[in-house]
């Protein structure tokens, strides 16, 4: 067991952190949100220049050949600087689906354009009735000539407003909650049978709801096996969920630093407020949660490459449950410790708090993850507990 | 080598070796007592101590030439988890983990030769004389006096909360040798034979009705000057050395894993109406949260252990292990008690001894659960209360 980063991983971590520290100020974040921008083209170019958009793709497609740990390093830095750019949606989620399921020729067509930053994509999977359930797909695709015609609604398409293409899941067989029968299609956003509207989320990122009215795609638009896309989507969401945990650690770490800075400088009763034990203990409890959230993010990202699907699944569910809960706690404490300033739009702390709140909700909040965790196969109890007991005569 | 969170083949082989050893050498009766929360006697703990001693595994933290194992921190963690999870009792820490390492670092040659071997072989039991009635969290205010008289010290005063003083042969004591200057600088460490005239042990009965801790009184107790550890006035430094040498074992991962399994077992046995309690979504939710909390702590322990193995100073994450470890232990006792519902109420201390054949109320496993819940309130108080731990983190880690 080894937690140390390789030289290559350290370089990756340093380069992304250095770039964002120099180019991604909180003021930039604020300005983009105020102008309803989903991203900055310059920053995206910068990330492409560092090779970060190719992290999940194989070297034969011009990618970095990275795994969970590389993605973790990038995501933690993105979290630290409250980056709203569509890295999670385009690179981790769609990139993950392409990496896991696309045919060779599709990879050749798509990867270079994602890696050089010239094309953004988004996943349109969740529907108005899905809540967090991954297998719920009511959207349908009917055979149409040698292709398909897709109809239905999708909601909360993260960073959809800036995407050129969408990956849309639709049912080719079965009922809305069946495990089998879901297919993943590439859909062009400029299709005239595709309607939609965009809106902001409370963390400043932007999303899209879409309505497909018989959108026609060719057979070549199918990613992975027809009817067998659900395991693919689950696997990609597993990666994205682990990545989100890493982002949360970056957000929490920075929020903790800002809070400590505030405790050391803000004076009341003639002393820095960090001298007061009641506030110190809140700060320590934040710290305890941040460190454990970091352990969980490392676990989830590090075990993504595990061949044991159960172990991987258990790790990601547990990490998201813990990180969601920890993020909520850390965010609430940070606001409380900032006092009145904490509830203003002006201070960065509140925006970090909002992102943590969004991260808890995305792909299943803590309560939902906990329920899933409880349903996982139980460990076999130690032998001593299962030995037959003596049957005593009744008294 | 890039990050790799799987155990290596060597680590897995070591784990298997530990498992096989525990399965082979841990007496079944002792194991049953630990798993079912029955009262452990001194001899139960000594049996396991001796088995480890014979194997050469009793003092992993000691230098190899003095009886240590040479394990790295990950191996030590694997050993802690595997043995505790399989039902091995916790060995008395006062000799092996406390005064042993202190003597190795600060003791005279005579002290090392005289005291270390019987600690390893369990021929001598130690207890710790730190707290006093007026000195709990403010330990440095302690008042037990030791006055130098020629080649001896004359000790007068009182210690309290002394775990297993009634079993111990020796006590290591923080005593005041000077009342001038800073209060920390007048403290020294003395090793006192419990059979010395003037030493008196009085039991303190705790909430669970059990006798585990004691008062220890000293009246004109004569202690040879050669029983002073290091120099006069170094006692506080030595006590702090001990705190900084607390290892990842303090998180109690193995025992908590064992108790989590037991909790699930209890919740599977108990009925909630027509279904087993474990199928109640509310109870299950709480078990799930506890299990996830334990995972978060365990992975933090692994990070600390791995850094220690690389020879790095413990990172800030090491400071949280005692706080979270004890909180989780308490929640486990609480949920186990809750699991058995009203059957937690009968208080029959005889029923969790080893030879009770009288009538019981409710299932056998329910008898000790409330007492255990009461007993475990101690864990967030001893070894520096969790509030003191938070003060330390606030000051030393967060710079507040």
């Amino acid at each position: 067991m080894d937690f140390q980063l390789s030289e290559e991983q350290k370089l990756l971590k340093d380069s992304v952190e250095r770039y964002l520290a120099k180019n991604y100020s909180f003021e930039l974040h604020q300005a983009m949100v105020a102008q309803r921008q989903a991203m900055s083209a310059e920053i995206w170019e910068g990330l492409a220049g560092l090779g970060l958009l190719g992290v999940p793709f194989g070297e034969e497609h011009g990618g970095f050949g990275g795994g969970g740990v590389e993605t973790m390093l990038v995501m933690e830095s993105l979290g630290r600087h409250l980056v709203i750019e569509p890295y999670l949606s385009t690179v981790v989620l769609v990139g993950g689906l392409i990496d896991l399921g696309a045919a060779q020729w599709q990879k050749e067509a798509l990867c270079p354009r994602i890696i050089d930053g010239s094309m953004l994509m988004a996943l349109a999977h969740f529907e108005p009735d899905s809540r967090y359930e991954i297998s719920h797909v009511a959207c349908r695709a009917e055979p149409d000539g040698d292709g398909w015609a897709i109809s239905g609604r999708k909601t909360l398409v993260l960073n959809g407003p800036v995407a050129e293409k969408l990956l849309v899941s639709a049912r080719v067989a079965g009922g809305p909650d069946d495990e089998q029968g879901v297919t993943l299609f590439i859909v062009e956003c400029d299709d005239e049978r595709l309607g939609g509207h965009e809106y902001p989320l409370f963390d400043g990122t932007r999303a899209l709801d879409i309505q497909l009215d018989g959108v026609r795609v060719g057979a070549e638009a199918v990613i992975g096996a027809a009817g067998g896309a659900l395991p693919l989507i689950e696997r990609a969401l597993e990666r994205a969920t682990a990545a989100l945990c890493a982002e949360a650690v970056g957000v929490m770490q920075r929020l903790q630093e800002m809070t400590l800075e505030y405790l050391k400088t803000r004076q009341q009763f003639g002393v820095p407020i960090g001298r007061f034990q009641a506030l110190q203990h809140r700060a320590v409890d934040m710290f305890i949660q941040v460190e454990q959230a970091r352990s969980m993010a490392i676990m989830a990202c590090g075990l993504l490459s595990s061949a044991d699907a159960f172990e991987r699944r258990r790790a990601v569910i547990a990490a998201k449950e813990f990180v969601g809960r920890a993020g909520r706690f850390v965010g609430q404490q940070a606001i409380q410790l900032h006092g009145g300033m904490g509830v203003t739009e002006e201070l960065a702390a509140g925006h970090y708090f909002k992102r943590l709140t969004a991260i808890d909700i995305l792909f299943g909040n803590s309560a939902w993850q906990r329920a899933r965790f409880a349903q996982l196969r139980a460990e076999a109890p130690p032998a001593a507990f299962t030995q037959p007991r003596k049957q005593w005569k009744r008294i | 080598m890039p990050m790799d969170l799987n155990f290596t083949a060597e680590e897995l082989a070591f784990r298997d070796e530990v498992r096989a050893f525990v399965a082979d050498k841990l007496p079944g009766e002792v194991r049953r007592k630990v798993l079912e929360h029955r009262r452990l006697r001194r001899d139960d703990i000594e049996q396991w101590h001796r088995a480890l001693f014979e194997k050469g595994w009793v003092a992993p933290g000691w230098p190899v030439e003095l009886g240590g194992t040479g394990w790295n921190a990950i191996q030590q963690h694997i050993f802690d988890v595997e043995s505790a999870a399989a039902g091995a009792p916790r060995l008395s820490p006062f000799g092996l983990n406390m005064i042993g390492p202190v003597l190795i670092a600060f003791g005279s040659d005579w002290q090392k030769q005289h005291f270390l071997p019987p600690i390893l072989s369990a021929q001598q039991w130690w207890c710790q004389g730190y707290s006093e009635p007026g000195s709990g969290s403010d330990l440095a205010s302690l008042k037990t006096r030791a006055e130098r008289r020629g080649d001896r010290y004359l000790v007068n005063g009182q210690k309290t909360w002394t775990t297993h003083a009634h079993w111990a042969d020796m006590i290591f004591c923080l005593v005041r040798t000077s009342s001038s200057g800073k209060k920390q600088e007048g403290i020294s460490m003395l090793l006192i034979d419990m059979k010395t005239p003037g030493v008196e042990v009085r039991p303190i009965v705790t909430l669970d009705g059990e006798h585990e801790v004691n008062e220890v009184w000293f009246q004109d107790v004569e202690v040879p000057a050669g029983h002073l550890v290091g120099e006069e006035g170094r006692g506080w430094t030595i006590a702090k050395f001990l705190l900084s040498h607390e290892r990842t074992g303090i998180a109690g991962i193995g025992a908590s894993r064992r108790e989590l399994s037991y909790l699930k077992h209890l919740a599977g046995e108990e009925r909630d109406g027509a279904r087993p309690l474990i199928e109640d979504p509310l109870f299950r939710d709480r078990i799930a949260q506890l299990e996830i909390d334990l995972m978060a702590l365990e992975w933090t322990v692994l990070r600390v252990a791995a850094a220690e193995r690389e020879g790095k100073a413990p990172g800030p994450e090491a400071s949280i292990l005692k706080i979270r470890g004890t909180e989780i232990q308490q929640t486990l006792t609480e949920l186990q008690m809750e699991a058995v519902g009203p059957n937690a109420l009968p208080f029959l201390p005889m029923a969790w001894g080893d030879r009770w054949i009288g009538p019981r109320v409710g299932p056998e496993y329910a008898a000790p659960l409330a007492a255990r819940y009461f007993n475990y309130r101690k864990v967030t108080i001893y070894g520096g209360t969790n509030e003191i731990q938070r003060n330390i983190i606030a000051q030393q880690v967060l710079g507040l």
Side-chain angles (χ1 to χ4, degrees):
Chain A
M1 181 166 288
D2 193 347
F3 290 83
Q4 295 190 92
L5 299 177
S6 67
E7 284 310 312
E8 211 180 10
Q9 288 169 338
K10 278 185 205 156
L11 279 174
L12 172 70
K13 179 181 154 92
D14 290 348
S15 69
V16 57
E17 182 53 36
R18 206 171 324 118
Y19 174 78
L20 292 173
K22 185 160 175 260
N23 297 291
Y24 211 96
S25 64
F26 176 63
E27 289 68 33
L28 174 68
H29 168 97
Q30 285 287 67
M32 280 194 286
V33 173
Q35 291 159 27
R36 298 178 191 173
Q37 271 181 276
M39 62 182 297
S40 138
E42 274 169 38
I43 295 290
W44 201 246
E45 234 169 71
L47 297 178
L50 292 171
L52 300 181
L53 306 186
V55 165
F57 304 116
E59 283 164 25
E60 68 278 19
H61 299 295
F64 192 91
V69 176
E70 284 75 17
T71 300
M72 170 180 86
L73 298 172
V74 176
M75 289 300 294
E76 188 178 337
S77 239
L78 296 178
R80 200 179 159 77
H81 298 276
L82 216 56
V83 170
I84 60 171
E85 274 62 16
Y87 194 85
L88 184 77
S89 52
T90 289
V91 180
V92 182
L93 207 42
V94 172
L97 284 164
I98 291 170
D99 176 51
L100 290 163
Q104 201 61 18
W105 65 268
Q106 288 170 320
K107 286 185 185 175
E108 279 163 20
L110 298 171
C111 293
R113 291 201 54 215
I114 291 180
I115 292 169
D116 70 14
S118 60
M119 177 179 68
L120 296 164
M121 292 180 70
L123 174 66
H125 174 63
F126 291 102
E127 302 184 1
D129 294 331
S130 299
R131 195 170 163 86
Y132 298 130
E133 204 43 69
I134 297 168
S135 61
H136 178 87
V137 176
C139 191
R140 297 202 71 88
E142 307 290 345
D144 180 75
D146 59 353
W148 302 85
I150 311 167
S151 296
R153 286 195 66 180
K154 296 285 176 182
T155 187
L156 280 161
V157 180
L158 301 178
N159 299 106
V162 288
E164 176 188 313
K165 301 182 203 301
L166 300 176
L167 289 186
V168 177
S169 57
R171 198 161 275 291
V172 295
D177 294 299
D178 286 352
E179 292 282 322
Q180 291 296 318
V182 175
T183 302
L184 203 54
F185 300 94
I186 304 175
V187 170
E188 301 291 332
C189 287
D190 57 10
D191 192 294
E192 58 184 20
R193 290 172 181 271
L194 179 67
H197 69 101
E198 70 161 283
Y199 49 91
L201 305 187
F202 61 61
D203 61 4
T205 61
R206 300 191 75 81
L208 185 69
D209 271 19
I210 54 170
Q211 171 89 41
L212 302 100
D213 291 317
V215 171
R216 292 165 72 172
V217 295
E220 75 285 354
V222 173
I223 298 265
L230 216 47
L232 204 63
I233 295 168
E234 272 170 7
R235 189 79 201 274
L237 279 170
E238 216 170 51
R239 287 188 186 183
T241 304
L244 210 46
C245 291
E247 183 191 343
V249 169
V251 177
M252 279 189 245
Q253 175 70 36
R254 182 73 194 108
L255 187 52
Q256 176 182 256
E257 288 166 14
M258 291 189 298
T259 306
L260 287 175
E261 229 170 272
Y262 189 77
L263 288 174
K264 288 173 192 175
T265 48
R266 167 75 176 167
Q267 302 241 342
Q268 285 292 276
F269 304 103
V271 291
I273 58 173
R275 296 271 177 82
F276 299 118
Q277 197 179 41
L279 306 195
Q280 288 181 350
H281 286 195
R282 277 185 191 262
V284 170
D285 287 335
M286 279 176 78
F287 165 76
I288 289 173
Q289 292 305 308
V290 176
E291 282 305 324
Q292 294 185 104
R294 183 185 301 283
S295 304
M296 290 301 253
I298 292 172
M299 170 193 71
C301 294
L303 291 179
L304 276 181
S305 56
S306 168
D308 180 343
F310 177 80
E311 182 187 41
R312 219 169 51 217
R313 190 174 147 80
R314 180 170 182 269
V316 172
I317 293 173
K320 183 62 168 54
E321 193 282 335
F322 191 91
V323 166
R325 191 153 44 96
R328 201 182 293 195
F329 178 83
V330 167
Q332 290 169 357
Q333 297 304 316
I335 299 304
Q336 179 69 19
L337 288 169
H338 275 89
M341 287 306 294
V343 298
T344 63
E345 179 76 7
E346 173 195 339
L347 218 68
H351 300 270
Y352 280 78
F353 170 53
K354 288 202 238 177
R355 181 61 187 158
L356 287 174
T357 310
I359 289 175
D360 178 29
I361 297 171
L362 284 171
F363 311 147
N365 66 6
S366 277
W368 187 75
Q369 301 289 355
R370 218 154 45 235
R372 285 173 86 206
F373 187 84
Q375 282 164 10
L376 292 171
R377 154 186 101 200
E379 278 174 84
F385 305 151
T386 52
Q387 278 166 9
R389 292 219 186 82
K390 173 174 173 167
Q391 292 298 309
W392 295 92
K393 189 165 62 99
R394 276 187 74 99
I395 51 168
Chain B
M1 273 296 292
M3 187 186 283
D4 182 359
L5 301 189
N6 297 298
F7 282 123
T8 62
E10 292 79 36
E11 286 162 346
L12 289 175
F14 177 71
R15 187 187 71 184
D16 292 343
E17 190 188 354
V18 172
R19 279 184 185 172
F21 176 77
V22 178
D24 187 31
K25 296 291 183 190
L26 177 64
E29 189 56 20
V30 176
R31 176 167 192 261
R32 190 181 70 87
K33 284 187 186 178
V34 170
L35 295 178
E36 297 177 5
H37 302 154
R38 284 163 186 280
R39 193 179 290 116
L40 286 168
R41 292 176 302 145
R42 173 177 167 162
D43 177 60
D44 295 320
I45 299 166
E46 277 179 356
Q47 284 185 52
W48 179 234
H49 186 127
R50 282 195 296 272
L52 289 171
F53 172 62
E54 279 156 24
K55 175 78 173 170
W57 281 1
V58 81
W62 293 20
V64 175
E65 63 277 15
L66 293 174
T69 53
W71 293 338
N72 65 38
I74 293 281
Q75 286 175 304
Q76 162 100 54
H77 169 77
I78 291 171
F79 173 78
D80 288 348
V81 168
E82 292 300 329
S83 52
R90 182 167 172 253
L91 298 186
S92 171
F94 304 110
L96 291 168
N97 301 344
M98 298 177 138
I99 194 63
V102 160
L103 293 180
I104 289 165
F106 301 96
S108 66
D109 286 342
W110 177 83
Q111 286 170 348
K112 288 181 202 172
Q113 285 158 16
H114 193 75
F115 291 119
L116 294 181
I119 289 175
L120 285 177
S121 61
Q123 279 161 328
Q124 223 167 40
W125 272 68
W126 285 77
C127 61
Q128 179 196 42
Y130 277 23
S131 293
E132 297 183 6
S135 304
S137 291
D138 181 14
L139 184 61
S141 71
L142 59 91
K143 291 194 182 70
T144 296
R145 270 175 304 123
E147 292 165 74
R148 184 75 185 241
R149 299 277 168 88
D151 61 350
R152 336 213 111 217
Y153 284 96
L154 199 62
V155 179
N156 280 286
Q158 186 203 339
K159 294 291 174 183
T160 192
W161 315 131
T162 317
T163 302
H164 295 156
H166 53 303
W167 291 352
D169 305 292
M170 295 290 298
I171 182 168
F172 58 97
C173 257
L174 290 180
V175 294
R176 184 157 299 286
T177 44
S178 161
S179 34
S180 57
K182 270 185 74 178
K183 59 183 180 180
Q184 285 85 353
E185 287 161 8
I187 295 173
S188 305
M189 184 178 278
L190 277 184
L191 312 175
I192 303 175
D193 189 327
M194 294 293 283
K195 287 181 286 296
T196 320
V199 178
E200 193 195 338
V201 176
R202 299 181 192 167
I204 299 173
V205 175
T206 41
L207 283 179
D208 52 348
E210 296 289 298
H211 172 206
E212 195 172 51
V213 293
N214 304 272
E215 296 175 350
V216 182
W217 294 71
F218 301 92
Q219 192 173 16
D220 293 332
V221 174
E222 291 189 14
V223 181
H227 284 204
L228 172 75
V229 182
E231 295 149 31
E232 261 191 29
R234 291 286 305 282
W236 193 253
T237 313
I238 295 171
K240 282 209 303 199
F241 160 86
L242 254 187
L243 289 179
S244 68
H245 270 67
E246 265 170 358
R247 305 169 71 104
T248 51
I250 196 169
I253 299 293
S256 286
R257 270 211 213 158
R258 177 185 76 217
E259 297 307 324
L260 179 70
S261 294
Y262 196 59
L263 169 63
K264 290 180 182 175
H265 166 70
L266 295 175
E269 296 279 305
E270 287 290 314
R271 310 296 295 181
D272 170 45
R275 64 185 174 192
L277 178 62
I278 200 159
E279 285 171 21
D280 166 34
L282 293 179
F283 202 75
R284 219 160 61 159
D285 187 70
R286 295 168 69 193
I287 296 180
Q289 177 164 333
L290 186 56
E291 183 165 353
I292 292 168
D293 280 345
L294 183 56
M295 281 173 84
L297 184 65
E298 176 160 12
W299 282 90
T300 307
V301 166
L302 286 166
R303 283 170 59 204
V304 174
E308 199 178 314
R309 182 189 53 190
E310 315 310 333
K312 293 182 192 147
E317 66 276 12
S319 59
I320 75 176
L321 303 184
K322 198 256 174 182
I323 295 178
R324 285 304 294 146
T326 52
E327 287 171 350
I328 287 171
Q329 288 157 30
Q330 287 184 337
T331 309
L332 280 161
T333 63
E334 198 175 336
L335 287 184
Q336 286 182 0
M337 178 179 70
E338 254 188 79
V340 301
N343 282 327
L345 283 169
F347 186 72
L348 296 165
M350 294 298 286
W352 60 86
D354 30 339
R355 287 193 200 87
W356 177 248
I357 50 163
R360 300 174 189 282
V361 185
E364 211 173 318
Y365 55 67
L369 297 177
R372 207 175 143 80
Y373 164 68
F374 297 136
N375 180 277
Y376 264 65
R377 305 320 295 171
K378 72 188 176 189
V379 299
T380 49
I381 297 168
Y382 67 31
T385 65
N386 283 16
E387 288 67 38
I388 289 289
Q389 304 290 339
R390 284 184 168 85
N391 289 351
I392 294 172
I393 295 173
Q395 285 148 27
Q396 297 182 2
V397 181
L398 305 184
L400 293 174

